[in-house]
Amino acid sequence: MEKKVVFSGVQPSGSLTIGNYIGAIKNWVSLQDEYECYYCIVDLHSITVPQEPKNLRKNTLELLAVYLACGLDPEKCTLFIQSHVSAHAELSWVLSTMSYMGQLSRMTQYKEKSQRVGENVNAGLFTYPVLMAADILLYQADLVPVGEDQKQHLELARDLAERFNNRYSPTFKVPEPLIKKEGARIMSLQNPQKKMSKSDDNENGYILILDKPEDIRRKVKRAVTDSIGVVRYSDEQPGIKNLIEIYSAFSKDSIEDIEKRYEGIGYGKFKEDLAEVVIEGLRPIQEKFDSYMKNKDYLESVYKQGAEKARYISNKTLRKVYRKIGFIVN
Ligand code: AMP
Ligand code: TRP
């Protein structure tokens, strides 16, 4: 039996939050033993919003170091940088000719981001999900582990795969989203109705993977809760619910165990413990991150080797696509 294929990616657009870690990368690590995994640093996607070249270069390398520090192993999975593999941009063009403006304009992320940008929304922001579909379809991915917010984009990838397969002949695997129930949507510590995001104006809303212990303690202490006063996993207490999810993700304790442990105990102690659980969970990642960042040669060898494998696999799909469309393949 051939292994199933997994594909996912994160944009190198700045430091990652624990939302990215819990909702994405942590799950990727658990998949690498069982599946054929491709984990991409999607730099092409990141330029849909303005990037300072110097920062983009730095963020890209740092993201690779974060991938490694979180436990992704280049012996087990393919780690690569999107712009190193030209097939992504090429397939994206083909798929854009098969995408409907209507469907693209209904994408929640596009609507949100274009509102934030205001006038002169660039076309890349609009076609962003088409490039994402190309990423996934090139590798014939079966499964795509993402957070809840990417579900709509994945639906587009599935539609495009089916549309192409129907118009020509079976070419693409139709991918399935892999969204964990718990941790799929870590919320802002300042507003539990909003997703935790590094683009939040209020830095107390998010915890970064590379945050220092004192910052983590401060942010957890200031996290918005409620006046109910019971540590319970309930929709009526969105702030506390979110904190329990974070606690559970880092301690690996079940939600029920955490509720039991804090029965009759106030939020103060719960938050104190939570901060320590997060700090201890991030410590080994931060230590490894520092040591990878000191070894640029190693990072280079990882992304070079990854690109080689990714190019080989993606080209097979791209050539098939070109042939079916009627391009003369040389
Ligand atoms: P982004 O930072 O939006 O590029 O997201 C990168 C990955 O992290 C995607 O798979 C997202 O679904 C996931 N992600 C981002 N923010 C969160 C969050 N607050 N909770 C859970 N997953 C998240
Ligand atoms: N759009 C995703 C995000 O913002 C990143 C991404 C790009 C991605 N291409 C992908 C995720 C392919 C999964 C598969 O999080």
Side-chain angles (χ1 to χ4, degrees), residues 84-134:
H84 291 179
V85 184
S86 57
H88 291 245
E90 293 181 69
L91 181 62
S92 177
W93 172 254
V94 172
L95 295 178
S96 76
T97 66
M98 303 179 71
S99 302
Y100 300 127
M101 306 280 287
Q103 188 174 14
L104 293 181
S105 59
R106 282 193 296 277
M107 295 287 154
T108 313
Q109 186 175 305
Y110 167 70
K111 286 197 279 191
E112 279 175 11
K113 282 198 181 172
S114 57
Q115 250 169 24
R116 231 182 289 154
V117 179
E119 270 178 75
N120 290 330
V121 177
N122 76 71
L125 216 45
F126 188 67
T127 54
Y128 176 110
V130 181
L131 177 58
M132 177 163 162

Side-chain angles (χ1 to χ4, degrees), residues 10-11 19-20 23-24 146-147 149-150 183-186 195-196 198:
V10 170
Q11 299 187 52
N20 297 122
V146 280
D149 60 328
Q150 296 298 315
R185 208 170 150 77
I186 298 299
K195 179 182 104 154
M196 179 182 286
K198 60 203 165 206

Side-chain angles (χ1 to χ4, degrees), residues 226-238:
D226 52 63
S227 55
I228 299 177
V230 183
V231 178
R232 196 178 44 194
Y233 191 79
S234 129
D235 289 334
E236 285 154 46
Q237 298 172 254

Side-chain angles (χ1 to χ4, degrees), residues 60-78:
T60 302
L61 215 54
E62 283 188 0
L63 183 52
L64 180 62
V66 167
Y67 279 8
L68 295 167
C70 289
L72 295 176
D73 178 352
E75 299 296 319
K76 293 180 183 168
C77 58
T78 305

Side-chain angles (χ1 to χ4, degrees), residues 203-204 213-223 275:
E203 64 161 24
N204 286 322
E214 62 263 32
D215 293 327
I216 296 172
R217 286 192 195 101
R218 186 193 71 240
K219 290 174 180 182
V220 171
K221 199 167 174 186
R222 294 199 187 159

Side-chain angles (χ1 to χ4, degrees), residues 7-9 11 42 45 109 128 132 135-136 144 146 150 153:
F7 187 98
S8 199
Q11 299 187 52
V42 292
H45 277 98
Q109 186 175 305
Y128 176 110
M132 177 163 162
D135 297 342
I136 297 165
V144 183
V146 280
Q150 296 298 315
H153 290 166

